[in-house]
Amino acid sequence: MVLLYRSQSDPPELWLSELRKFIPDLEMRVFPELGDIRDIDAALVWRPQPGLLASLPNLKLIVSLGAGVDHLLADATTPPHVPIARLVDPYMTEAMSEYVLTQVLRLHRQDFAYRAQQGERVWRELLQPNAFERRVGVLGLGELGSDAARKLAVLGFKVAGWSRRERRLPGIESFHGSHGLMALARRSDILVCLLPLTRETASILDARLFAAMPKGSAIINAARGQHLVEADLLAALESGQLSAAVLDVFEQEPLPREHPFWRHPKVIVTPHAAAATHAPTAAAGVAENLRRLRAGRPLINLVDPASGY
Ligand code: NDP
Ligand code: OXD
């Protein structure tokens, strides 16, 4: 028996019908209707209420209904003996790459400056570098980062990426480990964050990193709000060290109405919308794990709690 806890935008009936395409006899309960909790062996969750998972005595699998699992690992009540699988959905990967390409092109083609000029009715063509003259750095070369990096390279940008372990991707300069971070920052005119939120990556977008980047460079954060030290970003924009920021995720979501990012001329805000979970495309991967659980076969997309992703 599967428990569904908060399906974000998709209604529970949609999850059930999509999952039943793969497992016709699947039974599902939707929180808060728990029924007999001893029946529940798998939970599909997004930011579950603390203590809920620990209260399920026969739980054998937790599935995050998002790619990130920081919401589960940060909760001390998440039972440590139950494996956690995360969402890996090729359509989510495509959606994130669309977001990253849109925002990199917006920065590359000086959209901020042209919008400001339009506001003043100024007709002035700006000097436009070619894509091969623009260095883009991607923090995180996992499911999302590697796809975005590859597509940016196809557009002609000079792309480099950063990962924990050494990665080799065709046409992408690779950096890894803590020593690689500053080297990547120094060569990045546009820096895209697609890291999981872990102990090592929290507050990684900070004054030290911004100071290492070329003057007038820009950042895009589509990972987690806690990657960014917001006060450091505001200071870097104020000093001109950074010229712009595109932010999809925030320390506090929804972004409070009084937050300075809303009206900042050098900041673009999107409401954690870069790559949403969609039951019709995510269900195949989730169902595969439920089938494996039933059959006692090895699970896929498992998270390593020690590394935090
Ligand atoms: P993956 O787990 O596939 O990839 C993570 C990447 O980050 C890997 O390349 C990994 O390195 C690297 N990494 C992790 N820790 C470190 C570290 N300490 N130093 C250097 N590199 C590190 O994750 P995904 O690509 O699927 O997702 C990334 C994040 O994107 C999610 O965790 C989530 O927070 C966010 N997200 C945001 C969405 C939105 O709508 N805004 C939607 C979906 C996801 P290595 O390759 O060596 O393991
Ligand atoms: C995710 C997200 O982690 O939507 O999937 O942020």
Side-chain angles (χ1 to χ4, degrees):
M1 173 69 69
V2 168
L3 173 70
L4 179 69
Y5 183 96
R6 230 198 106 195
S7 61
Q8 293 149 285
S9 47
D10 289 328
E13 314 80 63
L14 184 61
W15 272 105
L16 185 58
S17 64
E18 292 299 330
L19 288 169
R20 279 195 174 151
K21 289 180 182 166
F22 302 93
I23 311 176
D25 62 346
L26 184 83
E27 289 184 277
M28 180 183 272
R29 293 195 190 134
V30 180
F31 185 85
E33 302 303 328
L34 293 176
D36 184 345
I37 55 173
R38 289 170 302 183
D39 301 338
I40 296 168
D41 62 354
L44 318 183
V45 296
W46 179 253
R47 299 188 195 286
Q49 157 181 310
L52 171 70
L53 297 171
S55 75
L56 305 174
N58 295 320
L59 191 63
K60 295 187 181 59
L61 172 64
I62 300 168
V63 178
S64 169
L65 288 180
V69 292
D70 45 292
H71 62 115
L72 289 165
L73 297 178
D75 179 352
T77 69
T78 300
H81 60 281
V82 181
I84 300 176
R86 67 191 197 94
L87 210 72
V88 175
D89 172 359
Y91 297 93
M92 176 189 257
T93 304
E94 282 183 9
M96 181 58 87
S97 290
E98 280 175 21
Y99 182 87
V100 170
L101 295 186
T102 302
Q103 305 307 343
V104 166
L105 285 170
R106 181 203 286 261
L107 293 164
H108 169 60
R109 296 299 309 215
Q110 310 181 77
D111 191 46
F112 279 84
Y114 281 124
R115 277 159 167 258
Q117 286 190 186
Q118 185 176 345
E120 303 295 321
R121 303 177 194 209
V122 172
W123 182 273
R124 185 167 62 231
E125 187 182 345
L126 303 171
L127 212 60
Q128 179 60 52
N130 288 310
F132 71 80
E133 295 166 300
R134 195 78 82 180
R135 298 161 300 173
V136 183
V138 180
L139 299 177
L141 288 176
E143 294 291 335
L144 304 182
S146 60
D147 190 68
R150 189 174 54 79
K151 288 172 177 167
L152 287 164
V154 169
L155 285 182
F157 291 104
K158 219 176 245 171
V159 184
W162 184 64
S163 52
R164 194 161 62 94
R165 297 156 292 190
E166 192 173 357
R167 301 253 164 228
R168 285 180 200 279
L169 300 176
I172 315 282
E173 193 183 356
S174 301
F175 297 87
H176 70 279
S178 44
H179 56 282
L181 178 62
M182 288 299 153
L184 180 92
R186 277 194 290 276
R187 54 76 67 206
S188 294
D189 302 312
I190 300 173
L191 190 65
V192 183
C193 180
L194 287 175
L195 288 164
L197 180 64
T198 68
R199 268 195 308 276
E200 280 86 41
T201 66
S203 301
I204 201 164
L205 303 174
D206 66 355
R208 193 166 148 258
L209 189 81
F210 301 151
M213 292 173 68
K215 190 160 177 75
S217 51
I219 63 159
I220 298 171
N221 186 18
R224 286 291 180 264
Q226 291 76 6
H227 285 126
L228 173 67
V229 181
E230 294 185 348
D232 288 3
L233 173 61
L234 287 168
L237 291 170
E238 180 64 31
S239 72
Q241 175 58 22
L242 292 188
S243 60
V246 179
L247 306 174
D248 185 55
V249 287
F250 303 89
E251 236 168 68
Q252 193 183 335
E253 295 180 8
L255 187 64
R257 285 185 65 79
E258 65 283 2
H259 199 289
F261 286 158
W262 279 118
R263 300 180 68 84
H264 199 296
K266 297 176 180 171
V267 175
I268 284 181
V269 169
T270 54
H272 199 142
T277 297
H278 285 299
T281 58
V286 174
E288 175 60 23
N289 255 339
L290 296 176
R291 273 198 303 229
R292 284 167 177 253
L293 181 68
R294 276 184 177 186
R297 286 190 289 126
L299 300 167
I300 54 170
N301 303 324
L302 286 180
V303 168
D304 169 19
S307 56
Y309 68 100

